[in-house]
Amino acid sequence: MLLESRPKGLHYVFTAAAGHSFAFYVLVNHLILWLLSEGVPRENASKTFGYYIAAAYVCAVLGGGLASFLGAHSVILLGVALYLCGLFALVLNAGHGVLVLGILALGSGLIKPNIVTLVSRMFPAKSPLVDGALARFYSAINVGAIAAAGLGGYISTRYSFRAAFITALIGELIVLLSLFLGRKAFSVTASESSLAPLIAPIKSGTLPPDQPSVNWRSLGSLLLFLVFASLAFWPAYHQNNAGLNVWAEQFTNRVVFGFNIPPTWFAMINSLICIFCAVPVITWFAIGARRKWSSIAGYALMSLSFVLLCAVSYSGASAAEAKYSALWLVLSITFSSFSEVMISTIGLARVSEQAPRKWDSLFMSIWYCTVALGGWIAGQIGSSFSLIEGFWVFASLCCIAGAGQWVELRCAGRAPTAATAWLRTEEIA
């Protein structure tokens, strides 16, 4: 092969992604539970969670923009420095002020889009190998998320939330170490040329920038996909760290053989499914028109995951009194996790494929903006409705989005715009 499917240095990117994911999800998994333990009303805690998620992903726009001038590697280092400062402030003050959470959000926003950029820039533009690399990248993120839910959940239950936040520092130190060890391999990512990975070693700027043409029809389809993701998928997805954690703590019988399972441990199910099922699911849906059907199936599963819990809540005692079997929560998270694989991972690949190489960090930051809007919507719904009412709202939004994607697919089917044709038009001549 002209280019290896696993370029030298790619494992350093995956390690860095896992490290930051660990640090990020230690905070996100415990944010609402921590605020509730501090006496913050559930409505305000939900709003704070939504604002933090929105800020973290909106700041990705700044991270993508800065990378166009400073380079992705440098912006990641700046983000790590800010995130470490925010974690130290959080641990020392144990406060939940706007400034501390703002610093953490800014640091995360500088890191997220540029780590993805390091992955895609190790391949020629529109390379068919990018999808597989991004699937493994997604698995690396979920390895960090598993560690965050498992280790962070155990420490917060056994000791304190502050002790759990201390462990998040380990994740950012792993990012720093990975960037240092992989600094030579990352030189290929400094070039704006889409063919840079084919010629190594290179010096930044030695190759002329060569950009593929833009397929405006596919961009229109992508825009519609992003709109539905913003309004339906991401608000529902964020319940893994919000509403479902509350359900696990307050409404789930978590005692198994005398051991009280920490609420955040249920989030490990999501990560395990993403790790072991992402590649086979993506491979299957990458064939022909299945790619677009994946989002429809994903919305159906996400809606079903919430309908299941809503139905259980009406099965007997009121939700205020009941402690339901943990199996219902496990099944709900399983459905939503497969939904994430079908929508988020394939969506990440679509954005990567259509972004001009020079502005790929900026385009990736737009993808993160949809995550931000979804986080804000999740916070507003969580503060405006009861837990069960909110679940019904999320289920309804996903049904509407799935129907909209089906209509878009049917309309696209009347013209030569099937997924295979879309991929061919995006290749470099």
Side-chain angles (χ1 to χ4, degrees), residues 2-53:
L2 183 60
L3 182 68
E4 294 183 0
S5 61
R6 298 189 181 184
K8 181 180 179 181
L10 199 59
H11 57 285
Y12 290 120
V13 184
F14 294 159
T15 303
H20 178 65
S21 176
F22 174 80
F24 180 75
Y25 282 106
V26 165
L27 176 60
V28 170
N29 282 338
H30 295 91
L31 185 54
I32 281 187
L33 299 180
W34 171 50
L35 293 174
L36 292 175
S37 72
E38 294 284 312
V40 178
R42 189 187 68 84
E43 295 78 9
N44 294 341
S46 181
K47 280 187 177 180
T48 300
F49 173 85
Y51 288 143
Y52 174 73
I53 293 295

Side-chain angles (χ1 to χ4, degrees), residues 294-305 307 335 339 343 398-399 402:
S294 68
S295 61
I296 299 173
Y299 282 118
L301 286 175
M302 183 65 81
S303 181
L304 181 60
S305 71
V307 170
F335 288 153
S339 171
I343 297 176
C398 289
C399 283

Side-chain angles (χ1 to χ4, degrees), residues 300-389:
L301 286 175
M302 183 65 81
S303 181
L304 181 60
S305 71
F306 289 107
V307 170
L308 179 66
L309 294 183
C310 291
V312 170
S313 70
Y314 291 118
S315 62
S318 66
E321 302 171 352
K323 287 286 187 179
Y324 304 108
S325 170
L327 293 178
W328 295 114
L329 181 58
V330 170
L331 189 59
S332 175
I333 294 175
T334 299
F335 288 153
S336 65
S337 299
F338 276 101
S339 171
E340 178 185 355
V341 173
M342 295 176 185
I343 297 176
S344 179
T345 309
I346 291 179
L348 190 68
R350 288 185 65 177
V351 175
S352 175
E353 287 169 356
Q354 293 192 357
R357 184 176 176 85
K358 181 178 181 180
W359 303 103
D360 47 9
S361 284
L362 186 58
F363 272 71
M364 193 58 65
S365 69
I366 295 174
W367 164 253
Y368 283 119
C369 276
T370 68
V371 188
L373 179 58
W376 180 82
I377 293 173
Q380 297 304 307
I381 292 175
S383 64
S384 302
F385 299 92
S386 68
L387 191 64
I388 298 301
E389 290 172 344

Side-chain angles (χ1 to χ4, degrees), residues 18 42 79 95 136 143 157 190 221 247 251 260 271-272 280 286 307 309 346 370-371 402 410 416 424:
R42 189 187 68 84
R136 293 192 293 273
V143 168
T157 303
S221 176
W247 178 279
F251 306 135
N260 195 6
S271 298
L272 286 170
V307 170
L309 294 183
I346 291 179
T370 68
V371 188
R410 295 289 293 178
R424 287 196 296 270

Side-chain angles (χ1 to χ4, degrees), residues 125-126 194 209-219 352-357 363 421-429:
K126 318 310 173 195
S194 63
D210 50 304
Q211 303 296 336
S213 59
V214 176
N215 185 321
W216 293 104
R217 177 174 290 179
S218 66
L219 281 180
S352 175
E353 287 169 356
Q354 293 192 357
R357 184 176 176 85
F363 272 71
W422 169 59
L423 287 174
R424 287 196 296 270
T425 58
E426 290 300 311
E427 293 178 355
I428 300 175

